[in-house]
Each structure stands twice: as structure tokens, then as C-alpha cells.
Amino acid sequence: PRSARVRVLQVTVRDALNQALDEELERDERVFLLGEEVAQYDGAYKISRGLWKKYGDKRVIDTPISEMGFTGIAVGAAMAGLRPVCEFMTFNFSMQAIDQVINSAAKTCYMSAGSIPVPIVFRGPNGASAGVAAQHSQCFAAWYGHCPGLKVVSPWSSEDAKGLLKASIRDDNPVVMLENELLYGVPFEMSEEAQSKDFVVPIGKAKIERQGTHVTLVSHSRPVGHCLEAAAVLAKEGVECEVINLRTIRPMDIETIEASVVKTNHLVTVEGGWPQFGVGAEICARIMEGPAFNYLDAPAVRVTGADVPMPYAKILEDNCIPQVKDIIFAVKKTLNI
């Protein structure tokens, strides 16, 4: 029957983000985008392609190279009732504006006893790209996930990217959206539901990307793909991995992880960031403090980036980022095989 036919499209993460911005700019005239090269140049990564021509100078605004300045303007605009989307050319440069993000945006709603919401989205590429060395390769999930007052999301697929960006723009809290530059050009299947203008991914809910019974793999952003690749290899050896895509770093969906650990009795976390005080460290601590701890048959294991500033040389860079082989090794170590 025709009704059963589902139209599935291949959409890149770049186009999914562009779609989300376009739909939200159209839906709500309080929404505007600002950042370096977002307007006339169509965005440094072409995320905002065509939006300046469509919406004009008031809604899509090119800024000088002055993160602290334009982030402050955006936060003030949010306090005054607009809904800014503030793009950083890389989240490493958000360090220039971290006072605005934390002291101005994250803390204001609480300090005003809820009377001043700050509906703003800080977005841009996060974590390692390729060959851009230490000052462009840091993952800030743990930094921003550390701060109450912020929501922090980290998409993997095109559906994640579109649904989380739309949810973030509609949220009355400041949201940090950590994208990944190496995923921008990657096509993912997008369901008919996700193609709708009403599609949002709820903030604070993880997604099980693959069901499994032997070990739980928890990840976010690009390493989710590595986990699925590792799971496919391990399946040929009779090991069934359950792969969880966190989607949201803060608030963290610990219930989904707990339920999975109760089922599989083993836990491996995978992230591109540094090991100390990282996202994986937080997951391990929460599992240890909660009811799922009694179900673990082996210690939880973290697979992380190397504990060094990112080297420039490709061979060193590859050794600093978790690879599929590292995940397979960690799973076998956990299962003692």
C-alpha cells in the first residue's frame, strides 16, 4: 500500500543544520544568526548557505573577529527577548568569550530567580578536525558540561543535528551545541518524520543506535560512528555490542545507560576528549554511584583522546584520537577475551 511507503533521503549533516536554521528563522522572527563569515560568505563551513540572501542583514549578521564582543551582543539580545544563534568558527575560539557564555548566559536565569531567561544557542565545530593542531582540536564537552545553567548537546547523525538544533533554538535556556567539522559532509539517512518542519529531538534523551547483549558502548559525536564500526566487526566474532548515542551531554540521560548496563553487565565509554574529568569519567562515576553498579561483571573502561595537546603530524594525530581498533581492544579487555 502507498501509505506504507516511507520516503528516506540521504542528507548531509551540513544540509540538515542549514535546514534547521532556515526553518527556525522562518518560524520565529526573533531568531537571528551571527558570527564570523556567516552572511555574505555563506558560512565558513557553508552551514548558513543562502540564508543571508533570503533573510537579509538584520537576521544573518557578519561580525568582526571578536568573539567576546559578538557573544556579549548576542547574550544581551537574548536577555532582551530575541533568540540568537551565535556561531563560533571553532569552539576553541569560544575561550575568548567564555566569560560571556558562563558568567553572563549560564548564570543569569538562576541569579534572577527565573525572571530573565537567556534563550541563546552557541554552536560550531568542536573536537579534532584534521591537521589543524592543538589550538583547533580540543573537545569542550566536559568544559561546558561542567557548568550548571547550560544545556549541552552533541549530535552525530543528520537527524541528531537537525532535531537538536531546532530544539536548542526553541529552548528558553542557553544551549551549547557541539558539532563536528569532519561530519559536516557525511550523508545520513533521514526519515520522513525528520524532514518535517515540526521535527525536534528532545534535549536530555540518549538514543540506542544498535541493540546488543554483551557490552554497552556509550559515545557522542563522531566516535558514535566508530563504535558502530567496532560493533559490526565484533558481531562477526559473536560479541553483540549495544551502542548508545548520548546526543545530550547535559542533562545526561543516565537512565538509558543504566538500563543497558543492567542488561549487558559491561560498560565501555568512548570520546574524543581528554581523559581527566571527561564525559566518560562522569558516566563511570554515575554508574558506580547508582543501582547499575551491582550488575557490572568487570570494571568500566574509558576510551579517550590522548592526554596531550593535539599534535599536527597526521600519524601522531591518528594515535591521539580513538580509532575503531582501540574500541575493539577495550571491549575484548572488558569481556576478558
Side-chain angles (χ1 to χ4, degrees), residues 125-193:
N126 170 68
S129 179
V132 290
Q135 289 171 332
H136 303 76
S137 295
Q138 188 176 336
C139 174
F140 289 90
W143 283 52
Y144 287 118
H146 180 64
C147 301
L150 292 177
K151 293 184 177 181
V152 182
V153 299
S154 179
W156 168 60
S157 67
S158 299
E159 285 198 8
D160 291 354
K162 182 181 179 187
L164 286 170
L165 181 51
K166 287 170 74 78
S168 301
I169 291 170
R170 296 179 190 191
D171 202 291
D172 283 337
N173 299 281
V175 182
V176 171
M177 180 155 169
L178 305 169
E179 299 154 15
N180 187 292
E181 187 187 334
L182 296 178
L183 286 173
Y184 284 155
V186 178
F188 289 89
E189 286 193 350
M190 202 181 239
S191 66
E192 192 150 21
E193 179 199 5

Side-chain angles (χ1 to χ4, degrees), residues 5-12 16 19 23 157-160 162-163 187-201 207 247:
R5 242 189 274 158
V6 180
R7 203 164 53 93
V8 177
L9 283 182
Q10 289 272 327
V11 179
T12 63
Q19 225 175 76
E23 288 169 10
S157 67
S158 299
E159 285 198 8
D160 291 354
K162 182 181 179 187
F188 289 89
E189 286 193 350
M190 202 181 239
S191 66
E192 192 150 21
E193 179 199 5
Q195 292 162 43
S196 132
K197 289 188 176 181
D198 302 317
F199 177 72
V200 292
V201 166
K207 182 187 179 194
R247 283 181 162 178

